[in-house]
Amino acid sequence: YSSLIGGIPITYIDATNALKNSDIFSVIQRISSDIASASFKTENAYASQVLNHPNNLIGRFSFWQAVIIQLLCSGNAYVPISGMTLEQRPPSEVQINLDSGNQVMQYQLNAFNDEPEMTLDQSKMLHFRIMPDANYRYLIGMSPLESLTDEMTIAYNSKKASLNSVENQINPIGVLNLKSALLNPGDRDIAREEFEKANSRNNAGRLMVLDNNSEFSQLQVKADVFQALNENSQYSANQISKAFGVPVDMLGGGADTESQHSNIDQIKSSYIVSLNGYINPIIDELKLKFNAPDLKLDVKSSLDVDDSLIINQVNSMVSAGTLSPQQAQQILLQNNAVPSNLIPYQQEGGDVNA
């Protein structure tokens, strides 16, 4: 689908087929869920209320997940600001106009439901974008999916060829040899149907009984067919992981993943850093439009659900001598990583340190 900016057509990538790829679905679902799980924090009461309760029809998580999914799929997401509520509008419903001096952007929204067509200036529109495109004066973003066009074509064709190979290797799954029998096509069909009837459905897995004139053998699938499928799957996951900047472990891993030579905390830390590429454009736009310079999104806490990340980080700092045990305990208490009624740390020799 397309839109306009200053009269120049904007073509957005169609993510319908892309989301049918399990790896792309996984990475978009993971990024959108993790960012949507985090809460906005600011001293601006209006901004805090609107951002953490954006819509009366759906919950905060679902609203922001939908916004981020759109952002990842098209590189842009449009959210008009209307009083105390926010509403996402798809890019196909938005036309963007620039004034003669290219100093002011206006967003024209198509009529929707009972709402008439309307025009909003840039102060009333949250326009989230990633990877601004030079072709549109850096005002329109690009989706990571655009970098996967060739790779996805290769992966699709390779997968199709591999599946065809599997079908040719698997079918038929076995051979029924009727000795000393000369069968016409009709007799062969009857023999096949009777054999399948006796050894499938409720009879599957039961003892097979053959007479002296019958012999059944099962074909095997060549190992290289499954190897080809496995290699194509790994290739797809690695390319998608690279395009979205997410460790391949976060997609479910595979035979060749970072977890073979890294621990889970390093992977989490790397993932959090990668998320900043999507979080920072969102936060910057919200700071500007809501006049909330102190706005933050607490993603780290939402990812560290069992507090293992902060506990291991603090323990490492204690071991390195950067923090004392008392300071470490204070940090863990402040982050609710240990019970508030924890027994005070006691050094050897009997001194108690709160």
Side-chain angles (χ1 to χ4, degrees), residues 92-104:
S92 57
E93 295 184 4
V94 181
Q95 304 291 330
I96 305 175
N97 301 311
L98 296 174
D99 70 357
S100 57
N102 296 327
Q103 297 298 316
V104 177

Side-chain angles (χ1 to χ4, degrees), residues 11-203:
T11 301
Y12 298 101
I13 190 168
D14 185 358
T16 304
N17 291 327
L19 289 176
K20 294 179 180 179
N21 179 285
S22 61
D23 290 317
I24 290 180
F25 182 92
S26 176
V27 72
I28 290 179
Q29 191 274 341
R30 182 63 191 257
I31 293 173
S32 62
S33 296
D34 288 339
I35 296 178
S37 296
S39 298
F40 293 98
K41 295 184 177 181
T42 176
E43 294 297 323
N44 184 321
Y46 168 68
S48 179
Q49 174 66 24
V50 173
L51 297 179
N52 288 307
H53 303 86
N55 192 281
N56 295 326
L57 297 179
I58 59 176
R60 180 193 60 82
F61 175 88
S62 295
F63 177 85
W64 287 111
Q65 185 180 38
V67 170
I68 297 161
I69 289 174
Q70 183 66 72
L71 179 63
L72 295 172
C73 288
S74 72
N76 299 267
Y78 301 94
V79 181
I81 303 173
S82 178
M84 296 298 294
T85 61
L86 301 177
E87 176 188 7
Q88 182 185 5
R89 299 292 288 268
S92 57
E93 295 184 4
V94 181
Q95 304 291 330
I96 305 175
N97 301 311
L98 296 174
D99 70 357
S100 57
N102 296 327
Q103 297 298 316
V104 177
M105 296 178 65
Q106 289 187 324
Y107 297 83
Q108 182 178 334
L109 305 181
N110 297 342
F112 174 75
N113 204 2
D114 294 330
E115 298 178 0
E117 182 179 295
M118 66 181 71
T119 300
L120 303 176
D121 64 38
Q122 58 195 31
S123 65
K124 296 298 182 181
M125 173 67 79
L126 296 172
H127 180 180
F128 304 111
R129 55 179 76 78
I130 51 178
M131 288 293 294
D133 191 342
N135 293 322
Y136 303 106
R137 302 185 182 182
Y138 303 103
L139 299 176
I140 301 298
M142 299 172 59
S143 168
L145 294 177
E146 296 187 41
S147 68
L148 292 170
T149 303
D150 293 338
E151 286 86 348
M152 291 307 300
T153 300
I154 294 172
Y156 173 78
N157 290 333
S158 298
K159 185 175 182 180
K160 184 178 179 180
S162 297
L163 288 175
N164 287 336
S165 297
V166 169
E167 291 178 357
N168 292 332
Q169 289 290 340
I170 291 178
N171 294 315
I173 61 172
V175 175
L176 177 64
N177 183 18
L178 300 180
K179 300 178 180 179
S180 303
L182 183 61
L183 303 177
N184 60 43
D187 292 336
R188 286 197 294 269
D189 290 339
I190 294 174
R192 180 189 300 110
E193 291 172 2
E194 289 300 320
F195 181 82
E196 290 176 347
K197 181 179 178 181
N199 296 283
S200 61
R201 297 186 181 180
N202 293 335
N203 292 325

Side-chain angles (χ1 to χ4, degrees), residues 315-335:
N315 285 341
S316 296
M317 296 177 74
V318 171
S319 299
T322 307
L323 293 176
S324 69
Q326 297 92 333
Q327 291 172 322
Q329 187 178 99
Q330 182 180 6
I331 292 174
L332 295 177
L333 284 169
Q334 290 174 344
N335 287 274

Side-chain angles (χ1 to χ4, degrees), residues 31 60 147 172 191 207 212 240 272 290 319 336 354:
I31 293 173
R60 180 193 60 82
S147 68
L207 182 66
N212 291 334
I240 293 167
I272 292 173
F290 282 97
S319 299
N336 298 316

